[in-house]
Amino acid sequence: MAASAATYKERQFLAVIGDEDSVTGLLLAGIGHVTEPPESQRNFLVVDSKTETSEIERAFQNFTQERKDIAVLLINQHIAERIRHSVDTFADPFPAVLEIPSKDHPYDPEKDSVLKRVRRLFGE
Amino acid sequence: MSGAVGREAVFPTRQSLGLMKNKLKGAEIGHSLLKRKSEALTKRFRDITRRIDEAKQKMGRVMQIAAFSLAEVSYAVGGDIGYQIQESAKQARFRVRAKQENVSGVLLPTFESYTQEGVNDFGLTGLGKGGQQIQRCRETYARAVETLVELASLQTAFLILDEVIKVVNRRVNAIEHVIIPRTENTIKYINSELDELDREEFYRLKKVSGKKQRDVAAADAEILAARQKKAEEQAANPKVPDATAIFVQEEEATDVLGEQEDNDVIF
């Protein structure tokens, strides 16, 4: 897979799908970006218990497929669980999908799609 | 698999034998090069997987600390600042830049984080109270995000390397199990075919020379018989030697023309 320069030279933002606390914290770090007014796309999505799975799915597709300026997509692990299928089937190198722990849900390496692949490669 | 390699469709000539030998040599060189490449990549790959494992552990810790500092913030501010922050986020201050790293001909991108100067969406956040905590929280989260970016580049490298290693190994196996056996088969086929031709040629030559020998022997025998006959006739009837001589010479002349011509003085 030849990752040509054009595919990732434009990518300079991080995106988040997470619960309110994670998103707040990451926004404080300064990763939040809203595109120019006509579309005004945010690069973060706050998910709470009332958020529909289809909405998460749509945001995930948007960040991974449609937007070409996102280099890394951070997603809370418990949210990734809800759209596990999409996360597991997404295998492109860009953007890098990273599962992060949240405050209420400690990190479980067993569920991480990349770590699962690592484990499988070493036959564990 | 090795049973079905077959051979290439070539004419069994010396030229194509030379071509095949060159091809075999090329395939062997390519095989060893690819093998080495695959080994170098695998080494790098193992290194990366180990680092991913470590980085994931580290991320767990860092995020915990960050979450704690955020809890401090909400305690200090005394309310939820999430909404305010989400609304005031306009321009990304924290960005990443992709660079390339070359590992035996494979370009691995690595992300490098940088902060866009002069962008601060949260200038007024925590103005009332808790400003210090917010400042600290921002720093903590910035560090956490740096760890995340590092992890992301490792992960990207992991995915790309995984793919590349698969491709390289497939090529190595294809050369090892298909191309080399097939070329060897072809060489064997050409060789056997050439040998066959050689044998055929040899046999043909032998046949031809055998036939020639037989002809010569038959001719010799005839001459010999003719001479004997002449000798006998001369012995039996020595009075008329000339007539028989003419007759014999005529006989001989029909058989072996050149040698006997000089004896035709009688005419």
Side-chain angles (χ1 to χ4, degrees):
Chain A
M1 184 188 307
S4 67
T7 57
Y8 58 82
K9 273 281 137 55
E10 302 298 311
R11 299 181 183 272
Q12 49 173 340
F13 299 122
L14 293 98
V16 205
I17 300 176
D19 59 16
E20 185 164 1
D21 282 343
S22 307
V23 172
T24 308
L26 291 168
L27 289 186
L28 269 180
I31 68 164
H33 191 85
V34 182
T35 51
E36 294 299 311
E39 288 117 33
S40 283
Q41 279 185 315
R42 290 168 159 194
N43 66 345
F44 51 91
L45 175 75
V46 179
V47 176
D48 53 28
S49 53
K50 291 191 287 291
T51 313
E52 300 271 337
T53 307
S54 63
E55 197 182 329
I56 305 173
E57 192 85 34
R58 204 165 53 240
F60 184 80
Q61 297 303 336
N62 180 24
F63 291 150
T64 52
Q65 315 285 335
E66 288 153 35
R67 290 188 62 163
K68 299 290 176 211
D69 55 349
I70 287 170
V72 183
L73 171 61
L74 305 171
I75 181 164
N76 270 146
Q77 200 174 32
H78 69 278
I79 294 164
E81 270 314 299
R82 289 171 65 177
I83 52 164
R84 176 54 66 195
H85 180 68
S86 305
V87 177
D88 279 352
T89 42
F90 180 77
D92 297 359
F94 293 103
V97 175
L98 210 56
E99 293 175 27
I100 57 171
S102 66
K103 204 174 69 181
D104 310 321
H105 300 77
Y107 186 67
D108 181 5
E110 297 304 313
K111 287 178 185 159
D112 192 294
S113 58
V114 172
L115 274 187
K116 263 194 267 181
R117 281 176 73 170
V118 174
R119 295 266 142 74
R120 199 168 57 221
L121 279 171
F122 289 102
E124 287 167 17
Chain B
M1 189 172 179
S2 55
V5 284
R7 60 174 169 79
E8 283 169 47
V10 288
F11 288 113
T13 57
R14 291 201 186 277
Q15 190 190 10
S16 50
L17 180 66
L19 280 178
M20 281 300 134
K21 279 188 173 161
N22 276 339
K23 190 172 172 182
L24 184 64
K25 209 179 284 170
E28 270 160 6
I29 290 171
H31 178 255
S32 82
L33 281 176
L34 278 176
K35 193 108 191 171
R36 277 204 297 230
K37 178 176 176 177
S38 156
E39 272 157 19
L41 290 177
T42 312
K43 182 169 170 287
R44 186 58 185 255
F45 188 66
R46 288 185 175 267
D47 183 39
I48 283 178
T49 45
R50 195 173 44 77
R51 273 161 63 195
I52 283 186
D53 233 3
E54 281 168 13
K56 289 260 177 187
Q57 311 294 334
K58 187 181 167 195
M59 176 189 76
R61 285 198 306 276
V62 170
M63 290 307 285
Q64 213 173 353
I65 294 167
F68 185 69
S69 83
L70 188 68
E72 268 181 21
V73 167
S74 48
Y75 181 70
V77 176
D80 202 355
I81 57 163
Y83 185 73
Q84 189 189 352
I85 285 173
Q86 281 164 38
E87 284 311 306
S88 53
K90 287 284 171 289
Q91 283 284 312
R93 193 170 70 97
F94 195 101
R95 299 183 184 201
V96 291
R97 188 188 288 134
K99 287 201 307 187
Q100 282 178 327
E101 199 189 345
N102 196 339
V103 182
S104 11
V106 182
L107 293 176
L108 294 179
T110 47
F111 297 120
E112 190 188 53
S113 51
Y114 68 101
T115 45
Q116 189 93 344
E117 294 304 326
V119 181
N120 192 355
D121 295 334
F122 311 114
L124 298 178
T125 313
L127 191 62
K129 50 183 176 176
Q132 207 183 358
Q133 274 81 4
I134 288 183
Q135 200 55 41
R136 208 180 306 140
C137 181
R138 284 176 62 174
E139 279 161 19
T140 321
Y141 262 102
R143 270 202 303 280
V145 175
E146 265 166 38
T147 316
L148 293 180
V149 168
E150 196 185 313
L151 183 53
S153 51
L154 283 178
Q155 195 176 303
T156 312
F158 169 81
L159 291 176
I160 291 179
L161 267 185
D162 188 23
E163 191 74 19
V164 170
I165 286 175
K166 262 188 224 155
V167 170
V168 170
N169 280 345
R170 208 174 297 148
R171 279 190 195 144
V172 169
N173 287 339
I175 291 182
E176 194 177 326
H177 296 294
V178 179
I179 294 181
I180 289 183
R182 186 157 62 188
T183 316
E184 277 171 350
N185 257 7
T186 315
I187 289 176
K188 229 182 280 169
Y189 161 74
I190 294 176
N191 269 335
S192 75
E193 209 69 356
L194 284 180
D195 282 356
E196 178 75 24
L197 279 181
D198 273 355
R199 274 198 298 277
E200 240 167 55
E201 184 67 16
F202 182 66
Y203 185 70
R204 200 173 65 82
L205 286 178
K206 235 164 71 176
K207 271 279 188 207
V208 168
S209 74
K211 172 106 172 70
K212 269 186 182 158
Q213 266 174 1
R214 263 205 318 280
D215 286 356
V216 170
D220 280 355
E222 219 165 286
I223 294 168
L224 207 66
R227 276 192 189 146
Q228 256 173 3
K229 203 174 165 189
K230 184 180 148 194
E232 274 168 19
E233 275 176 18
Q234 272 185 336
N237 193 7
K239 298 241 166 112
V240 274
D242 283 3
T244 46
I246 289 163
F247 171 70
V248 167
Q249 255 136 38
E250 264 180 306
E251 275 280 287
E252 280 180 9
T254 51
D255 269 345
V256 197
L257 279 170
E259 293 169 3
Q260 305 287 350
E261 234 162 22
D262 290 348
N263 288 355
D264 279 349
V265 271
I266 290 152
F267 284 109

